[in-house]
Amino acid sequence: GPLPGIVLGALAGAIGLLLGEPTVVNAALLMLFLNGFNLLPFLPLDGGWVVHAILFVRHPVIDVVFRVGAALCLLGLAILSMDWCLGSLAVFMLLVAPTAFRLSRIAHRLKEEGLVARSLDNDSIPDETALEILAELRRALPKQTPAKALAQHVANVFEMFNAEPPGLLASLALLVVYAVTKPPA
């Protein structure tokens, strides 16, 4: 993850400065930049997943608004920096937003209907739960959706279904920790 990368980057930078090695310092700065960038609150970056898990996993509409908002911010950043790679990522995020909304809506609806979907071994999806999710996916997604994509969507819905966001005070505390520990971009 990004935190070990930041620690290693800081250590490498300090060693590079002590030894007077500009190549090591430059490599450390690159590590710090890349790992710090990864903590920005945009999906699919790690920082985006942190903020998503704390706040936006609670409802499908909030989830899709966050995803589209993050994609638009990333697109704006790409335009300002004239970076086609960031722009491509933002466009991809916008293209997958409708599917993410459908998956989130399915998970939310199944949870409201009282489907019990806990893994006994924390490594698999119970068969009847997987079949229930698959039936919902087949109703919501295009008929030509490949089997491999359906399998991944079943796993995603199962994960969303079992996501339990922290309570209000815990959410605020986690957001403060995230804000304080996130390096400046």
Side-chain angles (χ1 to χ4, degrees):
L3 291 180
I6 290 170
V7 170
L8 287 175
L11 287 173
I15 291 169
L17 287 173
L18 287 173
L19 298 177
E21 290 290 333
T23 305
V24 175
V25 172
N26 288 338
L29 288 172
L30 181 61
M31 285 178 67
L32 289 170
F33 173 78
L34 290 176
N35 286 287
F37 183 82
N38 196 23
L39 287 176
L40 290 175
F42 303 123
L43 290 172
L45 303 174
D46 286 349
W49 286 114
V50 168
V51 175
H52 182 267
I54 295 170
L55 296 176
F56 303 113
V57 74
R58 299 170 194 272
H59 193 276
V61 173
I62 296 170
D63 179 28
V64 78
V65 166
F66 172 66
R67 288 174 185 271
V68 170
L72 292 174
C73 287
L74 202 55
L75 185 60
L77 183 61
I79 291 168
L80 286 174
S81 65
M82 292 187 271
D83 186 337
W84 67 268
C85 188
L86 284 181
S88 299
L89 179 61
V91 169
F92 175 75
M93 290 168 58
L94 288 170
L95 291 174
V96 300
T99 300
F101 177 67
R102 286 185 193 116
L103 298 181
S104 181
R105 207 172 68 207
I106 289 169
H108 189 74
R109 184 175 59 247
L110 290 173
K111 197 171 205 172
E112 282 183 340
E113 291 173 1
L115 177 69
V116 176
R118 294 282 180 210
S119 175
L120 298 177
D121 60 5
N122 288 329
D123 198 33
S124 63
I125 301 172
D127 290 343
E128 62 186 57
T129 301
L131 291 173
E132 177 97 21
I133 293 170
L134 183 59
E136 290 292 324
L137 288 170
R138 286 196 169 135
R139 283 192 282 276
L141 297 176
K143 298 275 186 246
Q144 67 272 20
T145 303
K148 192 172 185 176
L150 283 172
Q152 184 61 52
H153 292 329
V154 167
N156 291 344
V157 169
F158 183 75
E159 186 178 311
M160 284 186 262
F161 182 89
N162 285 298
E164 294 185 25
L168 179 64
L169 290 177
S171 293
L172 291 173
L174 288 169
L175 287 173
V176 166
V177 168
Y178 169 74
V180 169
T181 59
K182 182 179 76 74

